[in-house]
Amino acid sequence: KYSSFDIPAHWTVPTASSRCGTYLQKNKCLEAVVGHKAHVRYDPRQDRCVFLIERRGTCYDAIGRGLLPSLKPKWYRYGRSDYGFLVSHMDVPTESICVVEDAASACNVARVMDSMALLGTSINPTTLVDLIDYDEIIIALDPDATDKALKLQAKLRPYAETKVVMLKDDLKYFDPAEIKHAL
């Protein structure tokens, strides 16, 4: 459906920026990056931590998180695909997937189970195709998105057992035991 995304030559490894490395560590993304479950680059021109959006080894898009509070927009979509950011827990998919809002949360949740960042709060047809392979879909959006989570649940319910988890904080800050308890 989409053509591959050409990764710009000026993007570097995330450790090229102390801010990028700190962001990945603070948001508990390092295990997914080191374990090659998530591929991340640093964009020095925009000062962003960039998460590559891939399917079966091909990059189709990227989403970058600004590393300075003054950088707007906070999240920047580099390509034109409508893929979500999918991170597998193991080499084979799990029966359950956790749907979150952002790439950092998806990296952290992948320490426990497969996860997908919507990169927003809506389900499009491409994302739906990725999700219907799972028996259970757990929607765990940020605390301010409960209404949207319930709408997503209604849309996904015909395809899989679907539940909404109400969170008091963002999953990117949780330890694996806290993630398991919350989900």
Side-chain angles (χ1 to χ4, degrees):
K1 182 176 177 177
Y2 297 104
S3 57
S4 63
F5 176 79
D6 293 324
I7 299 170
H10 69 273
W11 288 3
T12 64
V13 295
T15 54
S17 162
S18 62
R19 278 192 300 277
C20 188
T22 299
Y23 175 82
L24 291 170
Q25 183 174 12
K26 176 184 173 193
N27 291 288
K28 301 184 179 172
C29 299
L30 290 178
E31 189 173 321
V33 173
V34 171
H36 305 287
K37 299 299 180 190
H39 297 108
V40 176
R41 301 289 184 274
Y42 172 65
D43 177 353
R45 292 185 185 163
Q46 290 197 36
D47 196 23
R48 291 182 183 280
C49 182
V50 181
F51 298 84
L52 304 182
I53 299 169
E54 301 171 314
R55 294 296 184 277
R56 295 176 203 75
T58 300
C59 184
Y60 290 100
D61 207 339
I63 185 88
R65 171 63 160 86
L67 297 171
L68 293 173
S70 60
L71 195 56
K72 304 291 183 217
K74 182 168 47 171
W75 288 95
Y76 176 77
R77 187 84 178 231
Y78 287 88
R80 294 187 175 162
S81 85
D82 58 1
Y83 282 117
F85 179 70
L86 180 64
V87 188
S88 295
H89 170 61
M90 300 182 296
D91 292 332
V92 293
T94 56
E95 293 178 7
S96 300
I97 188 166
C98 183
V99 175
V100 298
E101 282 186 53
D102 65 77
S105 295
C107 285
N108 191 30
V109 171
R111 299 187 318 167
V112 173
M113 65 190 306
D114 287 6
S115 60
M116 178 180 287
L118 294 178
L119 309 177
T121 53
S122 64
I123 295 279
N124 57 55
T126 305
T127 302
L128 183 60
V129 168
D130 283 330
L131 292 174
I132 61 175
D133 286 337
Y134 293 88
D135 296 333
E136 179 185 40
I137 302 169
I138 302 166
I139 303 167
L141 303 183
D142 295 348
D144 62 344
T146 301
D147 288 343
K148 295 194 187 228
L150 294 171
K151 288 177 185 172
L152 290 173
Q153 180 184 34
K155 191 170 187 178
L156 292 168
R157 193 175 276 146
Y159 304 99
E161 182 179 327
T162 306
K163 72 176 183 177
V164 172
V165 175
M166 305 296 180
L167 300 171
K168 291 186 184 345
D169 201 359
D170 193 313
L171 283 171
K172 65 181 153 244
Y173 304 122
F174 288 32
D175 290 322
E178 293 171 313
I179 293 170
K180 286 179 184 176
H181 184 263
L183 302 179

